[in-house]
Amino acid sequence: MSGLLALLDDVAAIAKLAAAQADDVSAMTAKAGAKAAGVVIDDAAVTPKYVTGLPAAREIPIVWKIAKGSLFNKIGVLVPAALVLDAFAPFLLTPLLMVGGVYLCFEGAEKIWHALHPHPESHAQEAETLDAAHLEETRVKGAIKTDFILSAEITAISLAAIGDAPFLVTAATLVAVSVAITAAVYGAVALLVKADDFGLRLARGSLGATRALGRGIVLGMPYVLSVIATVGTAAMLWVGGSILVHGAHELGLHAPYELIQHAAEAVGSVAGGAAEWAVTAGLDGIVGLLVGLGAVKIVSAATR
């Protein structure tokens, strides 16, 4: 009986440890997901363009293909690579994260540059010159390649947000973040690409109220996508700039971080915590924009 009680006590202790680790994974997943929000928003804003010019019936299957490719990018390649890096070369995390931060700044600044200097969109020409099956395959491959870069940044940001944690907790958190973010991004994308079809069905209904709602959805979707794209661009600059400022601080260059902190704290002492956060995010975004514009110039010069 004493042996059985000791065994039950051990089982209870293991159960408590497992529950505590599950709580740790949940908390870290939420924290890491919040840190990666800027990349997530941009990913959701970018993906709908890959179904432009293709039959409406193929939109959801295409999104599903991209989602499966994205999940493989994260769980099949990037999470194992991140765990190896964390175990054997953690000192490389900050420099690699900063490289990703420069890429985010470049992407955000490039979108602003193209908005100020527009060029003809190529998707309409692609739809005319390629058959639907070939175009779909090309688009899916291009989307998965783009997703790999964004997923790498999400994984690196998540790993940095987790900090020092047991291996199993880190692995479980990275997998949980990967699944949650993939489901959130591509679930949102599926809703976005089908919203106009849903609105069109409502607009053809028999009730005046539903017809008006349907017309509103159809007319409003271009503006919704535009707002999401704008928010995504701003978020990329903010997240990229923040990564660079904090990375430089960890590597010994303290001035940018301290200047931003002092400015934010000065405003926060007068206007409150929300204003302090806004100043921090805004100044990080300015850093991101300046670095991004510099990267755009370098890339443009190198590709001429």
Side-chain angles (χ1 to χ4, degrees), residues 6 16 43 47 49 57 87 100 116 118 134 139 153 163 197 249 266 275 284 288 296 302 304:
K16 288 180 181 179
D43 207 357
T47 305
K49 74 178 183 180
L116 297 175
H134 188 193
R139 293 276 185 85
E153 193 62 23
D197 292 342
H249 179 62
D284 285 341
V296 168
R304 282 176 185 170

Side-chain angles (χ1 to χ4, degrees), residues 92-276:
L92 291 177
L93 179 60
T94 296
L96 289 175
L97 198 58
M98 292 179 72
V99 171
V102 172
Y103 172 78
L104 287 178
C105 296
F106 167 77
E107 282 283 294
E110 187 181 39
K111 290 178 182 179
I112 294 175
W113 181 262
H114 286 166
L116 297 175
H117 304 83
H119 56 83
E121 184 61 56
S122 62
H123 289 313
Q125 291 180 332
E126 285 181 355
E128 292 174 0
T129 57
L130 296 177
D131 63 89
H134 188 193
L135 179 58
E136 178 177 325
E137 182 182 357
T138 302
R139 293 276 185 85
V140 169
K141 287 181 178 178
I144 292 174
K145 287 179 182 177
T146 300
D147 176 90
F148 184 87
I149 299 171
L150 296 174
S151 294
E153 193 62 23
I154 289 169
T155 304
I157 292 171
S158 301
L159 183 60
I162 293 170
D164 294 329
F167 175 82
L168 290 178
V169 172
T170 300
T173 301
L174 289 177
V175 170
V177 169
S178 299
V179 172
I181 285 180
T182 302
V185 168
Y186 292 99
V189 168
L191 291 175
L192 288 172
V193 300
K194 299 306 291 183
D196 53 352
D197 292 342
F198 176 70
L200 190 59
R201 291 194 188 96
L202 290 178
R204 292 171 176 170
S206 57
L207 297 177
T210 56
R211 287 200 302 269
L213 176 61
R215 288 194 296 269
I217 292 174
V218 172
L219 294 174
M221 280 311 299
Y223 299 101
V224 171
L225 292 173
S226 178
V227 169
I228 291 174
T230 301
V231 172
T233 299
M236 289 189 86
L237 293 173
W238 157 50
V239 173
S242 176
I243 289 171
L244 293 177
V245 169
H246 282 80
H249 179 62
E250 290 185 16
L251 295 178
L253 182 59
H254 305 298
Y257 176 84
E258 291 176 352
L259 287 173
I260 291 173
Q261 284 294 106
H262 291 327
E265 289 172 1
V267 173
S269 64
V270 176
E276 181 176 344

